Amino acid sequence: MLDLSLAAIQLQTVRVIMFRQSSARKAAQVDQKPPPAQPPRPPPPPPAGSTMVPEEAMASTVKIYNHYVFPNYLRPWTKHEGQSCSGSGFAIEGRRILTNSHVVNHAQLLQVQRHDRPGKWTARLLSEAIQCDLALLAVDDDSFWDGLPLQLCSDSVPTLQSTVTAVGYPVGGENICVTRGVVSRVDLLDYTFLEQVQGERLLVLQIDAAINPGNSGGPVFDQVGAAVGVAFAGLDEADNIGYVIPMPVVRLFLKIFEASGSFGQLPSLGVTFQSTENKSLRKSLRLDEAGRNGLLVVHVAPLMPAAKAGLSPGDVVMKLDGHDLAEDGTVEAWPGLRMPWEYLVTKRPVGDDIEIEIARDGSRFSKTVRLVAEPRLVPFHDGVDASPSYVIVGGLVFLQLSLPLVDAGMLDYLSDPISTGDLVRKLGARRKEPEECVVLLASILESELTVSYDRLIGRQLTKFNGDAKAAFSLRALAVAVSGAGSKPFLKFEFGEWLAVLETERSKKAEKEVLLANDVISWCSADVDPRGDVSRLGCVTAFLGGK
């Protein structure tokens, strides 16, 4: 979401505990009817004046083992070697385990271990939310749950200066570890820590207790042993600073999962604002010069409901969801605490309606806008809006530009600074057409068909055989290529640059190119022009088979 980065947390180098790459794996089949269990009960209070977390509360904390395999965005027909890691989690109401998404994503095998018993139990993923950095696990073996305390997930947020305790299994030992600190800040944060752009921001707690590797996903308790959040990140260049996902975000995640069986994405307003703190600007907009409310609309994403509702550049938004919208872009979240306006949007699920009060040419009126996830020109998150898809034609490897592809080092392979700059400028751009993407020539599997085309690597495909729509997406390209078998040439335009392959020679050489590079198909299954679930079907689609 492109908007004012108001009151943003000042981070230099952020270290996300465990690993921070997003998941490309779909959520496991959801079991919405867990086995019957005893209702969770609040933990007994500690002795008067004590800051100790009751043993029953700590006993709900579990260690999670993840054996995972990362996708390979540069060579998406392969995957990276498998690795292993561990993190923390805790048992909650409904006989489920709550943890971080980055602890369990890309999992091939998940196991959990209790604090008070030996051995490991196999777990399965119910749902995960990359943007919330939360995941929900199930353990089907009833013996795992025998005597295991279940934590309640309330909506309470601890106040500033209140004492909290993080519990988990950080590196450096095998047993449970306790770290105590105070809540030092309540703010908004992009949990995915995107470097090139800013994603949706959620409510976050900053505490002055270290969140070390392995603590991720563990519970954070208040002084009476009630769970108030989930530990998820630390700050590299500062001592004893950790970040905690507060319970309102957890409740949002659970609410959406229980309603739909999955999470999806966070909503966006799709509007870029400018502050109205300048008095001359306020006067020109016919706003009260002594007032402190109103944000100027400078851009509205054309595919978003706000545009369809009539919101346009030059409008001034005075209220959002019934809250006065200050000239600096903040709203009163609750008495005594102001937050950036995104707080009113990302605390809601996709599909909710929000009311906007608008000032235009001296008049006031209201519009109701449906909150949806913004379709981005360049996808942000692996497993959310990005996937390792590809199309290979005669050795030319076409990929969709995405932040996971950039993170994998795509820009490092480009020698042309103009092409690199063009791609970087597209990272935060908004779609103008529903299916619009950035398809680029990412690499070349060398053969005599591709001689001298290496200078085209990193350039955006603009037309295929004279058709601009065929370059809108990888699927559109795959469909166009598979239907071009009767044409003498396959022409790929990259602005003023051109690559041409002879169709018949491409067909004959295709199998050899794929075989030599251990590629099973010339396109990934998700862009197969025939909709085949088998990746081999796409090979015959291009070669003219059944």
Side-chain angles (χ1 to χ4, degrees):
M1 178 171 55
L2 300 176
D3 44 49
L4 295 179
S5 202
L6 302 166
I9 299 174
Q10 299 301 311
L11 301 178
Q12 287 80 34
T13 303
V14 176
R15 162 180 50 80
V16 180
I17 307 308
M18 299 299 301
F19 50 88
R20 176 50 63 186
Q21 300 189 33
S22 302
S23 172
R25 176 191 33 73
K26 297 181 180 179
Q29 184 177 3
V30 177
D31 181 0
Q32 300 192 48
K33 295 182 179 180
Q38 294 296 321
R41 54 187 185 278
S50 172
T51 59
M52 294 180 60
V53 175
E55 176 62 31
E56 185 176 0
M58 287 197 298
S60 64
T61 308
V62 299
K63 189 171 185 177
I64 298 174
Y65 298 87
N66 181 13
H67 303 271
Y68 62 93
V69 177
F70 279 148
N72 188 335
Y73 267 79
L74 290 173
R75 299 175 64 85
W77 52 91
T78 67
K79 289 189 176 184
H80 291 289
E81 292 185 4
Q83 300 181 57
S84 299
C85 65
S86 65
S88 304
F90 61 104
I92 64 170
E93 50 197 302
R95 299 220 307 187
R96 299 168 296 188
I97 296 173
L98 185 66
T99 185
N100 288 144
S101 169
H102 77 262
V103 170
V104 300
N105 62 8
H106 300 294
Q108 300 295 302
L109 172 65
L110 290 171
Q111 295 175 298
V112 294
Q113 184 174 21
R114 287 180 51 162
H115 165 54
D116 57 348
R117 294 186 185 179
K120 299 174 184 177
W121 285 263
T122 299
R124 58 186 175 88
L125 183 71
L126 293 177
S127 182
E128 68 175 318
I130 303 295
Q131 292 168 294
C132 298
D133 199 11
L134 291 171
L136 206 58
L137 310 182
V139 177
D140 296 325
D141 190 334
D142 289 341
S143 66
F144 172 80
W145 299 101
D146 290 344
L148 184 65
L150 306 181
Q151 294 298 316
L152 294 165
C153 296
S154 66
D155 283 323
S156 62
V157 177
T159 59
L160 291 175
Q161 303 185 61
S162 57
T163 300
V164 293
T165 303
V167 181
Y169 292 88
V171 295
E174 296 297 324
N175 289 324
I176 201 166
C177 180
V178 176
T179 307
R180 185 168 293 112
V182 300
V183 177
S184 55
R185 180 182 295 173
V186 181
D187 216 313
L188 295 188
L189 181 68
D190 173 11
Y191 288 6
T192 61
F193 298 104
L194 297 176
E195 295 180 0
Q196 299 89 355
V197 294
Q198 180 180 288
E200 284 73 21
R201 297 192 292 172
L202 289 161
L203 192 67
V204 71
L205 304 179
Q206 179 181 311
I207 64 175
D208 66 349
I211 304 296
N212 294 312
N215 266 126
S216 288
V220 177
F221 297 103
D222 63 14
Q223 297 180 70
V224 297
V228 295
V230 182
F232 82 107
L235 189 61
D236 251 353
E237 297 189 358
D239 293 330
N240 297 328
I241 289 183
Y243 293 101
V244 175
I245 302 170
M247 279 301 169
V249 177
V250 174
R251 292 301 307 169
L252 174 68
F253 168 64
L254 294 176
K255 175 183 177 181
I256 295 174
F257 165 72
E258 289 163 359
S260 64
S262 61
F263 183 81
Q265 299 186 56
L266 289 172
S268 170
L269 197 58
V271 179
T272 302
F273 288 119
Q274 177 183 334
S275 73
T276 60
E277 296 174 280
N278 185 282
K279 293 189 180 299
S280 297
L281 176 62
R282 294 187 64 84
K283 186 175 182 180
S284 72
L285 295 171
R286 301 170 69 176
L287 299 175
D288 180 5
E289 293 180 51
R292 294 288 185 179
N293 292 339
L295 281 181
L296 175 64
V297 176
V298 297
H299 187 268
V300 182
L303 301 181
M304 294 293 282
K308 298 176 183 177
L311 192 66
S312 60
D315 289 342
V316 178
V317 175
M318 305 301 295
K319 287 189 176 182
L320 190 62
D321 195 28
H323 294 254
D324 289 330
L325 188 55
E327 62 184 0
D328 63 354
T330 62
V331 296
E332 186 177 51
W334 52 81
L337 181 65
R338 301 194 67 81
M339 289 280 186
W341 63 267
E342 302 104 297
Y343 166 74
L344 299 176
V345 175
T346 56
K347 74 173 186 176
R348 295 172 173 272
V350 166
D352 268 15
D353 292 332
I354 194 167
E355 187 171 339
I356 301 176
E357 184 177 308
I358 302 167
R360 179 188 294 169
D361 298 328
S363 62
R364 297 278 190 99
F365 58 95
S366 295
K367 293 284 187 179
T368 299
V369 174
R370 178 66 51 88
L371 295 178
V372 301
E374 182 172 356
R376 297 184 174 95
L377 179 64
V378 177
F380 281 7
H381 307 293
D382 173 35
V384 179
D385 55 354
S387 62
S389 306
Y390 70 93
V391 171
I392 302 175
V393 185
L396 303 180
V397 180
F398 295 95
L399 305 179
Q400 180 183 349
L401 180 63
S402 65
L403 288 188
L405 179 62
V406 173
D407 290 340
M410 178 66 222
L411 300 184
D412 299 338
Y413 293 91
L414 306 184
S415 58
D416 182 5
I418 296 178
S419 297
T420 303
D422 288 343
L423 296 182
V424 170
R425 282 188 289 273
K426 294 180 184 297
L427 295 183
R430 285 169 164 150
R431 280 183 180 176
K432 297 179 181 178
E433 300 290 340
E435 302 301 323
E436 184 182 10
C437 300
V438 178
V439 176
L440 67 149
L441 180 62
S443 61
I444 294 177
L445 305 180
E446 296 292 349
S447 73
E448 63 175 339
L449 301 177
T450 60
V451 172
S452 82
Y453 289 160
D454 55 292
R455 292 189 63 189
L456 304 180
I457 292 176
R459 297 186 182 276
Q460 180 180 358
L461 180 67
T462 53
K463 290 182 181 179
F464 170 70
N465 280 352
D467 184 2
K469 289 188 177 180
F472 254 37
S473 68
L474 287 176
R475 178 178 289 276
L477 176 62
V479 170
V481 169
S482 65
S486 61
K487 297 183 180 298
F489 298 103
L490 304 176
K491 298 182 179 181
F492 303 87
E493 295 181 43
F494 306 87
E496 298 83 8
W497 299 74
L498 180 66
V500 178
L501 303 177
E502 295 180 49
T503 305
E504 289 302 320
R505 291 184 66 195
S506 294
K507 290 180 179 180
K508 293 177 181 178
E510 192 71 37
K511 287 184 179 181
E512 295 180 4
V513 172
L514 298 182
L515 182 62
N517 291 275
D518 294 325
V519 185
I520 194 173
S521 168
W522 72 283
C523 71
S524 53
D526 57 325
V527 300
D528 187 327
R530 303 187 307 165
D532 282 356
V533 294
S534 168
R535 296 178 65 180
L536 288 174
C538 201
V539 176
T540 58
F542 176 58
L543 298 179
K546 295 181 179 180

